[in-house]
Amino acid sequence: MRIDPTLAPTPESWLAANAPDEPVFFFHPARLMQVARDFLAGFPGLVTYAVKANPAPEMIRTLHAAGISAFDVASPAEMELVRAHAPGAALHYHNPVRSAEEVAAGLRAGCVSWSVDRPAELAKLAGLPRGTEIAVRLKLPVPGAAYDFGAKFGATPEQAAALLRQVVAMGFTPSLTFHPGTQCTRPEPWARYIVEAAAVARSAGVTLHRLNVGGGFPAHRDAARPDLQGIFDTIREATQGAFDEAPLLVCEPGRALAAEALTLATRVKGVHDEAVFLNDGVYGGLAEWRDIAPMDRVRAVGRQGGALTGETLRRVVFGPTCDSIDRLPETLPLPSDLQEGDFLLFAGMGAYSRALVTGFNGYGVRKVVEIESQD
Ligand SMILES: Cc1ncc(COP(=O)(O)O)c(C=O)c1O
C-alpha cells in the first residue's frame, strides 16, 4: 500500500475534502510514537514489537525511530521487512514450529532469540551457534484473554522444565516465554504465569537468562482506557517476588503498540431498513471482528465532516462483497440520520486489520493517508 503524502489535520477534514468512494486507513505516526514511548518508559525490561500485528514499513520505521530496538518475527518475510526498515534491530524468532528452510533463513538473518515448545523442534535448532538464546514457551490454562493462545503452542510446566534442561545440555542460553492470550485487560494472567515460570525454572534447576512475558497487552477498545501501567507494575512486582535471581524481562506486544496508529474510514453505500451497507467489511479492515468482541470506538460522520447526532438505532452492518457472511457479528448503535455517502470511522484499528485485508470481490482497503497532528 502506498501512503498518500497529503497531510490533513483530521480524518474528518480529509474525508470532507476528498469524498473517497473507497475505504481509507488514516495513519497517526505521532500517536504511534507516543504509545511506544509509554511502553519504553513503563515496562520494566526490553520492549519488542510483534510485527504480525501490523507489518507496514512505516510502522516498523516509526517504532524503530521511537526507540524500539528489537522485533518479534514469525517468518523469513518478516525478518526481511525488519532488516530493510529497522537496520541494526535485534530479531526474536518466536514462531515455535519451523521448517528446515525457515531455520536456515533465521540463521542467515542473525536471529538472536528463538522459542521452542517441543523436543522435535528443539532438535531442529541443533546447528545454531552455542550460547544462542532459546526461550521455552510455557502454556497454562489461564482465562482472561479475548481468545485462547494455549490451544496451538506451548509446553506444560513439566514439559517446559524438561525442555529447559535440554536447552542447557545443548549449550544454549535458557529463557522462558509465554503469551497470556490477546487483549488481556487484567494483570492477573501475567502474575499467574510469572509465578509458574519461576516454579518451572526451579524444578528444572536452571537459572533463566530472560523471561519474555509475551504480547497480550490490551488496546483501547471500549469506554474504559486500559491500565497498561498497572499491568507493567504487576509484572515487575510478580517477577521480584517469584524469583530468587530475577531474570531480565522482555515483552512483545503487537496489538497494544499498533492499535492507535490507524483509524479506518468506511463509506456508507446504502441504508436499507435495518441494515447499513459499507464499502469495507470482514474481508477487509474489519476481518478481526469475526473473532473478537466488537469495540465501541465508532463514530458516524456526515459527508461535510460533521458528527451525526440523530437518535441511536441498532443496525446490522454489512460489508461490500456478495457474501452473506460479510457482516459484523453484532448490530452497531448508529445515528438514525445516517445516509448513503456518510462515513463510519473506526478508531484504534492499527492491529490485525491492514495485515488481514483480502481482495475478495475486488474490495479491500488499499489507501493509507497520513495524519500529521495528534487530532
Ligand atoms: C509469539 C507471539 N508474540 C506476540 C504476539 C502479539 O500478541 P498481541 O497482539 O496480543 O500483543 C503474538 C500474537 O499472535 C505471538 O504469537
Coordinates of all heavy atoms in Angstrom, one line a residue, residues 83-167:
R83 N 14.8 -6.1 8.6 CA 16.2 -5.8 8.2 C 16.1 -4.6 7.3 O 17.0 -3.7 7.3 CB 16.8 -7.0 7.5 CG 17.3 -8.1 8.4 CD 18.6 -7.7 9.1 NE 19.0 -8.6 10.1 CZ 18.8 -8.4 11.4 NH1 18.3 -7.3 11.9 NH2 19.2 -9.3 12.3
A84 N 15.1 -4.5 6.4 CA 15.0 -3.4 5.5 C 14.6 -2.0 6.1 O 15.1 -1.0 5.7 CB 14.0 -3.7 4.4
H85 N 13.8 -2.1 7.2 CA 13.2 -0.8 7.7 C 13.7 -0.5 9.1 O 13.4 0.6 9.6 CB 11.7 -0.9 7.6 CG 11.2 -1.0 6.2 ND1 11.3 0.0 5.3 CD2 10.7 -2.1 5.5 CE1 10.8 -0.4 4.1 NE2 10.5 -1.7 4.2
A86 N 14.4 -1.4 9.8 CA 14.9 -1.1 11.1 C 16.3 -1.7 11.2 O 16.6 -2.7 11.9 CB 14.0 -1.7 12.2
P87 N 17.2 -1.2 10.3 CA 18.6 -1.8 10.3 C 19.2 -1.8 11.7 O 19.1 -0.8 12.4 CB 19.4 -0.9 9.3 CG 18.5 0.3 9.0 CD 17.1 0.0 9.5
G88 N 19.9 -2.9 12.0 CA 20.6 -3.0 13.3 C 19.7 -3.5 14.4 O 20.2 -3.8 15.5
A89 N 18.4 -3.6 14.2 CA 17.5 -4.1 15.3 C 17.7 -5.6 15.5 O 18.1 -6.3 14.6 CB 16.0 -3.8 14.9
A90 N 17.4 -6.1 16.7 CA 17.5 -7.5 17.0 C 16.3 -8.2 16.6 O 15.2 -7.7 16.7 CB 17.7 -7.7 18.5
L91 N 16.5 -9.4 16.1 CA 15.3 -10.3 15.7 C 15.1 -11.4 16.7 O 16.0 -12.2 16.9 CB 15.6 -10.9 14.3 CG 15.8 -9.9 13.1 CD1 16.2 -10.6 11.8 CD2 14.5 -9.1 12.9
H92 N 13.9 -11.5 17.1 CA 13.5 -12.6 18.0 C 12.5 -13.5 17.2 O 11.4 -13.1 16.8 CB 12.8 -12.1 19.3 CG 13.7 -11.3 20.2 ND1 13.3 -10.9 21.4 CD2 15.0 -10.9 20.0 CE1 14.3 -10.3 22.0 NE2 15.3 -10.3 21.2
Y93 N 12.9 -14.7 16.9 CA 12.2 -15.6 16.1 C 11.3 -16.5 16.9 O 11.6 -17.6 17.3 CB 13.1 -16.5 15.2 CG 12.5 -17.2 14.1 CD1 11.2 -17.2 13.8 CD2 13.4 -18.0 13.3 CE1 10.7 -17.9 12.7 CE2 12.9 -18.7 12.2 CZ 11.5 -18.7 11.9 OH 11.0 -19.4 10.9
H94 N 10.1 -16.0 17.2 CA 9.2 -16.6 18.2 C 7.9 -17.3 17.6 O 6.8 -17.0 18.0 CB 8.8 -15.6 19.3 CG 10.0 -15.4 20.2 ND1 10.0 -14.5 21.2 CD2 11.2 -16.0 20.3 CE1 11.2 -14.5 21.9 NE2 11.9 -15.4 21.3
N95 N 8.2 -18.1 16.5 CA 7.2 -18.9 16.0 C 7.7 -20.3 16.2 O 8.6 -20.7 15.5 CB 7.0 -18.6 14.5 CG 5.9 -19.5 13.9 OD1 5.5 -20.5 14.5 ND2 5.5 -19.2 12.7
P96 N 7.2 -21.1 17.2 CA 7.9 -22.3 17.7 C 8.0 -23.5 16.7 O 8.7 -24.5 17.1 CB 7.2 -22.6 19.0 CG 5.9 -21.9 19.0 CD 6.0 -20.8 18.0
V97 N 7.3 -23.5 15.6 CA 7.3 -24.6 14.7 C 7.9 -24.1 13.4 O 7.3 -23.1 12.8 CB 6.0 -25.3 14.5 CG1 6.0 -26.4 13.5 CG2 5.4 -25.8 15.8
R98 N 9.0 -24.6 12.9 CA 9.7 -24.1 11.7 C 10.1 -25.2 10.8 O 10.6 -26.3 11.2 CB 11.0 -23.3 12.2 CG 10.8 -22.3 13.2 CD 12.1 -21.8 13.7 NE 12.0 -20.8 14.8 CZ 11.9 -21.1 16.1 NH1 11.9 -22.4 16.5 NH2 11.7 -20.1 17.0
S99 N 10.1 -24.9 9.5 CA 10.6 -25.9 8.5 C 12.2 -25.7 8.6 O 12.7 -24.7 9.1 CB 10.1 -25.5 7.1 OG 10.7 -24.3 6.7
A100 N 12.9 -26.7 8.0 CA 14.3 -26.7 8.0 C 14.8 -25.4 7.2 O 15.7 -24.7 7.6 CB 14.9 -27.9 7.3
E101 N 14.0 -25.1 6.1 CA 14.4 -23.9 5.3 C 14.2 -22.6 6.2 O 15.0 -21.7 6.1 CB 13.5 -23.8 4.1 CG 13.9 -24.8 3.0 CD 13.4 -26.2 3.4 OE1 12.7 -26.4 4.3 OE2 13.8 -27.2 2.6
E102 N 13.2 -22.6 7.0 CA 13.0 -21.4 7.9 C 14.0 -21.3 8.9 O 14.5 -20.2 9.3 CB 11.6 -21.5 8.5 CG 10.5 -21.2 7.5 CD 9.1 -21.4 8.0 OE1 8.9 -22.2 9.0 OE2 8.1 -20.8 7.5
V103 N 14.5 -22.4 9.5 CA 15.6 -22.4 10.4 C 16.8 -21.8 9.8 O 17.5 -20.9 10.3 CB 15.9 -23.8 11.0 CG1 17.2 -23.7 11.9 CG2 14.7 -24.3 11.8
A104 N 17.1 -22.2 8.5 CA 18.3 -21.7 7.8 C 18.1 -20.2 7.6 O 19.1 -19.4 7.7 CB 18.4 -22.4 6.5
A105 N 16.9 -19.8 7.2 CA 16.7 -18.3 7.0 C 16.9 -17.5 8.3 O 17.4 -16.4 8.2 CB 15.3 -18.1 6.4
G106 N 16.4 -18.1 9.4 CA 16.6 -17.4 10.7 C 18.1 -17.2 11.0 O 18.5 -16.2 11.6
L107 N 18.8 -18.3 10.7 CA 20.3 -18.2 11.0 C 20.9 -17.2 10.1 O 21.7 -16.4 10.6 CB 20.9 -19.6 10.6 CG 21.4 -20.5 11.7 CD1 21.8 -21.9 11.1 CD2 22.6 -19.9 12.4
R108 N 20.6 -17.2 8.8 CA 21.2 -16.2 7.9 C 20.8 -14.8 8.3 O 21.6 -13.8 8.2 CB 20.6 -16.4 6.5 CG 21.3 -17.5 5.7 CD 21.0 -17.4 4.2 NE 19.6 -17.4 3.9 CZ 18.9 -18.5 3.8 NH1 19.4 -19.7 3.9 NH2 17.6 -18.4 3.5
A109 N 19.6 -14.6 8.8 CA 19.1 -13.2 9.2 C 19.7 -12.8 10.6 O 19.6 -11.7 11.0 CB 17.6 -13.2 9.3
G110 N 20.4 -13.8 11.3 CA 21.0 -13.5 12.6 C 20.0 -13.3 13.7 O 20.3 -12.5 14.6
C111 N 19.0 -14.1 13.7 CA 18.0 -14.1 14.9 C 18.7 -14.4 16.2 O 19.5 -15.4 16.2 CB 16.9 -15.0 14.6 SG 15.8 -14.6 13.2
V112 N 18.5 -13.6 17.2 CA 19.3 -13.8 18.4 C 18.5 -14.5 19.5 O 19.0 -15.0 20.5 CB 19.7 -12.4 19.0 CG1 20.7 -11.8 18.1 CG2 18.6 -11.5 19.3
S113 N 17.2 -14.7 19.3 CA 16.4 -15.4 20.3 C 15.3 -16.3 19.5 O 14.7 -15.8 18.5 CB 15.6 -14.4 21.2 OG 14.8 -15.1 22.1
W114 N 15.2 -17.6 20.0 CA 14.3 -18.5 19.3 C 13.4 -19.2 20.3 O 13.9 -19.6 21.4 CB 15.1 -19.6 18.6 CG 16.2 -19.1 17.6 CD1 17.2 -18.2 17.8 CD2 16.2 -19.4 16.2 NE1 17.9 -18.0 16.7 CE2 17.4 -18.7 15.7 CE3 15.5 -20.2 15.4 CZ2 17.7 -18.9 14.3 CZ3 15.9 -20.4 14.0 CH2 17.0 -19.7 13.5
S115 N 12.2 -19.3 20.1 CA 11.3 -20.0 21.0 C 11.1 -21.5 20.6 O 11.1 -21.7 19.4 CB 10.0 -19.3 21.2 OG 9.2 -19.4 20.1
V116 N 10.9 -22.3 21.5 CA 10.5 -23.7 21.2 C 9.5 -24.2 22.2 O 9.4 -23.7 23.4 CB 11.7 -24.7 21.3 CG1 12.7 -24.5 20.2 CG2 12.4 -24.7 22.6
D117 N 8.7 -25.2 21.8 CA 7.7 -25.7 22.8 C 7.6 -27.3 22.7 O 6.8 -27.9 23.4 CB 6.3 -25.1 22.5 CG 5.7 -25.5 21.2 OD1 6.4 -26.1 20.4 OD2 4.5 -25.2 21.0
R118 N 8.5 -27.9 21.9 CA 8.6 -29.4 21.9 C 9.9 -29.9 21.5 O 10.6 -29.2 20.7 CB 7.4 -29.9 21.1 CG 7.5 -29.5 19.6 CD 6.1 -29.6 18.9 NE 5.3 -28.4 19.2 CZ 4.0 -28.3 19.0 NH1 3.3 -29.3 18.5 NH2 3.3 -27.2 19.3
P119 N 10.3 -31.1 22.0 CA 11.7 -31.6 21.7 C 12.0 -31.7 20.3 O 13.1 -31.4 19.9 CB 11.7 -33.0 22.4 CG 10.6 -32.9 23.4 CD 9.5 -32.0 22.9
A120 N 11.1 -32.1 19.4 CA 11.4 -32.3 18.0 C 11.8 -31.0 17.4 O 12.6 -30.9 16.4 CB 10.3 -32.9 17.3
E121 N 11.2 -29.9 17.8 CA 11.5 -28.6 17.3 C 12.8 -28.0 17.8 O 13.6 -27.4 17.1 CB 10.4 -27.6 17.5 CG 9.1 -27.8 16.7 CD 9.3 -27.7 15.2 OE1 10.1 -26.8 14.8 OE2 8.7 -28.5 14.5
L122 N 13.1 -28.4 19.1 CA 14.4 -28.0 19.6 C 15.6 -28.8 18.9 O 16.6 -28.2 18.6 CB 14.5 -28.4 21.1 CG 15.8 -28.1 21.8 CD1 16.3 -26.7 21.7 CD2 15.7 -28.5 23.3
A123 N 15.3 -30.0 18.5 CA 16.3 -30.8 17.8 C 16.7 -30.1 16.5 O 17.8 -30.1 16.0 CB 15.8 -32.2 17.5
K124 N 15.7 -29.4 15.8 CA 15.9 -28.7 14.5 C 16.9 -27.6 14.7 O 17.4 -27.0 13.7 CB 14.6 -28.2 14.0 CG 13.7 -29.3 13.4 CD 12.5 -28.5 12.8 CE 11.3 -29.4 12.5 NZ 10.1 -28.7 12.1
L125 N 17.1 -27.1 16.0 CA 17.9 -25.9 16.2 C 19.3 -26.3 16.6 O 20.1 -25.4 17.0 CB 17.3 -25.0 17.3 CG 15.8 -24.6 17.1 CD1 15.3 -23.7 18.2 CD2 15.7 -23.9 15.7
A126 N 19.7 -27.6 16.5 CA 21.0 -28.0 17.0 C 22.1 -27.3 16.3 O 23.2 -27.2 16.9 CB 21.1 -29.6 16.8
G127 N 21.9 -26.8 15.1 CA 23.0 -26.2 14.4 C 23.2 -24.7 14.7 O 24.1 -24.1 14.1
L128 N 22.4 -24.2 15.6 CA 22.6 -22.7 15.9 C 23.9 -22.6 16.7 O 24.3 -23.5 17.4 CB 21.4 -22.2 16.8 CG 20.0 -22.3 16.2 CD1 19.0 -21.5 17.1 CD2 20.0 -21.6 14.8
P129 N 24.5 -21.4 16.7 CA 25.7 -21.2 17.5 C 25.4 -21.4 19.0 O 24.4 -21.0 19.5 CB 26.0 -19.7 17.2 CG 25.2 -19.3 16.0 CD 24.1 -20.2 15.9
R130 N 26.4 -22.1 19.6 CA 26.3 -22.3 21.1 C 26.1 -20.9 21.7 O 26.7 -19.9 21.3 CB 27.6 -22.9 21.7 CG 28.0 -24.3 21.2 CD 27.0 -25.3 21.3 NE 26.2 -25.4 20.0 CZ 25.2 -26.3 19.8 NH1 24.9 -27.1 20.7 NH2 24.6 -26.3 18.6
G131 N 25.3 -20.9 22.8 CA 25.1 -19.7 23.5 C 23.9 -18.9 23.0 O 23.5 -17.9 23.7
T132 N 23.3 -19.3 21.9 CA 22.1 -18.6 21.4 C 21.0 -18.7 22.4 O 20.9 -19.8 23.0 CB 21.7 -19.2 20.0 OG1 22.7 -19.1 19.1 CG2 20.4 -18.6 19.5
E133 N 20.2 -17.7 22.5 CA 19.1 -17.8 23.5 C 18.0 -18.6 22.9 O 17.5 -18.4 21.8 CB 18.5 -16.4 23.8 CG 17.3 -16.4 24.7 CD 16.7 -15.1 25.0 OE1 16.5 -14.3 24.1 OE2 16.6 -14.8 26.2
I134 N 17.6 -19.7 23.7 CA 16.4 -20.4 23.3 C 15.4 -20.2 24.4 O 15.6 -20.6 25.6 CB 16.7 -21.9 23.2 CG1 17.9 -22.2 22.2 CG2 15.5 -22.7 22.8 CD1 17.6 -22.2 20.8
A135 N 14.2 -19.7 24.1 CA 13.2 -19.5 25.1 C 12.1 -20.6 25.0 O 11.5 -20.7 23.9 CB 12.5 -18.1 24.8
V136 N 11.9 -21.3 26.1 CA 10.9 -22.4 26.1 C 9.6 -21.7 26.3 O 9.4 -20.9 27.3 CB 11.3 -23.4 27.2 CG1 10.1 -24.4 27.3 CG2 12.6 -24.1 26.9
R137 N 8.6 -22.1 25.5 CA 7.3 -21.4 25.6 C 6.4 -22.3 26.5 O 6.1 -23.4 26.2 CB 6.7 -21.3 24.2 CG 5.3 -20.6 24.3 CD 5.0 -19.8 23.1 NE 3.6 -19.5 23.0 CZ 3.0 -18.8 22.1 NH1 3.7 -18.4 21.0 NH2 1.7 -18.6 22.1
L138 N 5.9 -21.6 27.5 CA 5.1 -22.3 28.5 C 3.6 -22.0 28.3 O 3.3 -20.9 27.8 CB 5.5 -21.7 29.9 CG 4.7 -22.0 31.1 CD1 4.9 -23.5 31.5 CD2 5.2 -21.1 32.3
K139 N 2.8 -23.0 28.5 CA 1.3 -22.7 28.4 C 0.6 -23.1 29.7 O 1.0 -24.1 30.3 CB 0.7 -23.3 27.2 CG 0.5 -24.8 27.3 CD -0.4 -25.3 26.2 CE -0.4 -26.9 26.3 NZ -1.0 -27.5 25.1
L140 N -0.4 -22.3 30.1 CA -1.2 -22.7 31.3 C -2.6 -22.4 31.0 O -2.9 -21.6 30.1 CB -0.8 -21.7 32.4 CG 0.6 -21.7 33.0 CD1 0.7 -20.6 34.0 CD2 0.9 -23.0 33.7
P141 N -3.5 -23.1 31.6 CA -4.9 -22.8 31.4 C -5.4 -21.6 32.2 O -5.9 -21.6 33.3 CB -5.6 -24.1 31.9 CG -4.7 -24.6 32.9 CD -3.3 -24.2 32.6
V142 N -5.0 -20.4 31.6 CA -5.3 -19.1 32.3 C -6.4 -18.3 31.6 O -6.2 -18.0 30.4 CB -4.0 -18.3 32.5 CG1 -4.3 -16.9 33.0 CG2 -3.0 -19.0 33.3
P143 N -7.5 -18.0 32.2 CA -8.5 -17.2 31.5 C -8.2 -15.8 31.5 O -7.2 -15.3 32.2 CB -9.8 -17.5 32.3 CG -9.3 -17.8 33.7 CD -7.9 -18.4 33.6
G144 N -8.9 -15.0 30.7 CA -8.7 -13.5 30.7 C -8.4 -12.9 29.4 O -8.5 -11.7 29.2
A145 N -8.2 -13.7 28.4 CA -7.9 -13.2 27.0 C -9.1 -13.2 26.1 O -10.1 -13.9 26.4 CB -6.8 -14.0 26.4
A146 N -9.0 -12.5 25.0 CA -10.1 -12.5 24.1 C -10.3 -13.8 23.4 O -11.4 -14.2 23.0 CB -9.9 -11.4 23.0
Y147 N -9.2 -14.6 23.2 CA -9.2 -16.0 22.8 C -8.0 -16.7 23.3 O -7.0 -16.1 23.6 CB -9.6 -16.2 21.4 CG -8.8 -15.5 20.3 CD1 -7.6 -16.0 19.8 CD2 -9.2 -14.3 19.8 CE1 -6.9 -15.4 18.9 CE2 -8.5 -13.6 18.8 CZ -7.3 -14.1 18.4 OH -6.6 -13.5 17.4
D148 N -8.1 -18.1 23.3 CA -7.1 -18.9 23.9 C -5.9 -19.1 23.0 O -6.0 -19.6 21.9 CB -7.7 -20.2 24.3 CG -6.8 -21.2 24.9 OD1 -5.7 -20.7 25.4 OD2 -7.1 -22.4 25.0
F149 N -4.7 -18.7 23.5 CA -3.5 -18.9 22.8 C -2.8 -20.2 23.1 O -1.8 -20.6 22.4 CB -2.5 -17.7 23.1 CG -2.6 -16.6 22.1 CD1 -3.8 -16.1 21.6 CD2 -1.5 -16.0 21.6 CE1 -3.9 -15.1 20.7 CE2 -1.5 -15.0 20.7 CZ -2.7 -14.5 20.2
G150 N -3.2 -20.9 24.2 CA -2.6 -22.2 24.5 C -3.0 -23.3 23.7 O -2.5 -24.4 23.7
A151 N -4.1 -23.0 22.8 CA -4.6 -24.1 22.0 C -3.7 -24.6 20.9 O -3.8 -25.7 20.4 CB -5.9 -23.7 21.4
K152 N -2.7 -23.8 20.5 CA -1.8 -24.2 19.4 C -0.4 -24.4 19.9 O 0.2 -25.4 19.5 CB -1.8 -23.0 18.4 CG -1.1 -23.4 17.1 CD -1.4 -22.4 16.1 CE -0.6 -22.7 14.8 NZ -0.9 -21.7 13.8
F153 N 0.2 -23.5 20.7 CA 1.6 -23.5 21.1 C 1.7 -23.6 22.6 O 0.9 -23.1 23.3 CB 2.3 -22.3 20.6 CG 2.4 -22.2 19.1 CD1 2.1 -21.0 18.4 CD2 2.8 -23.3 18.3 CE1 2.2 -20.9 17.0 CE2 2.9 -23.2 16.9 CZ 2.6 -22.0 16.3
G154 N 2.8 -24.1 23.0 CA 3.2 -24.1 24.4 C 3.4 -25.5 25.0 O 2.8 -26.5 24.6
A155 N 4.3 -25.5 26.0 CA 4.6 -26.8 26.7 C 4.0 -26.6 28.1 O 4.0 -25.6 28.7 CB 6.1 -26.9 26.9
T156 N 3.5 -27.8 28.7 CA 3.0 -27.8 30.0 C 4.2 -27.5 31.0 O 5.4 -27.6 30.5 CB 2.4 -29.1 30.4 OG1 3.5 -30.1 30.3 CG2 1.3 -29.5 29.4
P157 N 3.9 -27.2 32.2 CA 5.1 -26.9 33.1 C 6.1 -28.1 33.2 O 7.3 -27.9 33.2 CB 4.4 -26.7 34.5 CG 3.1 -26.1 34.1 CD 2.7 -26.8 32.8
E158 N 5.6 -29.3 33.2 CA 6.5 -30.5 33.3 C 7.4 -30.5 32.0 O 8.6 -30.7 32.0 CB 5.8 -31.8 33.4 CG 5.0 -31.9 34.7 CD 3.8 -31.0 34.8 OE1 3.1 -30.7 33.7 OE2 3.4 -30.5 35.9
Q159 N 6.7 -30.4 30.8 CA 7.4 -30.4 29.6 C 8.4 -29.3 29.4 O 9.5 -29.4 28.9 CB 6.4 -30.4 28.4 CG 5.5 -31.6 28.3 CD 4.3 -31.3 27.3 OE1 3.9 -30.1 27.1 NE2 3.6 -32.3 26.9
A160 N 8.0 -28.1 29.9 CA 8.8 -26.9 29.8 C 10.1 -27.1 30.7 O 11.2 -26.8 30.2 CB 8.1 -25.7 30.3
A161 N 10.0 -27.8 31.9 CA 11.1 -28.0 32.7 C 12.1 -28.9 32.0 O 13.3 -28.7 32.0 CB 10.7 -28.6 34.1
A162 N 11.6 -30.0 31.4 CA 12.4 -30.9 30.7 C 13.1 -30.3 29.5 O 14.3 -30.5 29.2 CB 11.6 -32.1 30.2
L163 N 12.4 -29.4 28.8 CA 13.0 -28.7 27.6 C 14.1 -27.7 28.1 O 15.1 -27.6 27.4 CB 11.9 -27.9 26.9 CG 11.1 -28.7 25.8 CD1 9.9 -27.9 25.4 CD2 12.0 -29.0 24.6
L164 N 13.8 -27.1 29.2 CA 14.9 -26.1 29.7 C 16.2 -26.9 30.0 O 17.3 -26.4 29.6 CB 14.4 -25.5 31.0 CG 13.6 -24.2 30.9 CD1 13.3 -23.7 32.4 CD2 14.4 -23.1 30.2
R165 N 16.0 -28.0 30.6 CA 17.3 -28.8 30.9 C 18.0 -29.2 29.6 O 19.2 -29.1 29.5 CB 16.9 -30.1 31.7 CG 16.7 -29.8 33.2 CD 16.6 -31.1 34.0 NE 15.4 -31.8 33.8 CZ 14.3 -31.7 34.4 NH1 14.1 -30.8 35.4 NH2 13.2 -32.4 34.1
Q166 N 17.2 -29.6 28.6 CA 17.8 -30.0 27.3 C 18.5 -28.8 26.6 O 19.5 -28.9 26.0 CB 16.6 -30.4 26.4 CG 16.9 -31.7 25.7 CD 15.7 -32.2 25.0 OE1 14.6 -32.1 25.5 NE2 15.8 -32.6 23.7
V167 N 17.9 -27.6 26.8 CA 18.4 -26.4 26.2 C 19.8 -26.1 26.8 O 20.8 -25.9 26.1 CB 17.5 -25.1 26.5 CG1 18.2 -23.8 26.2 CG2 16.2 -25.2 25.6

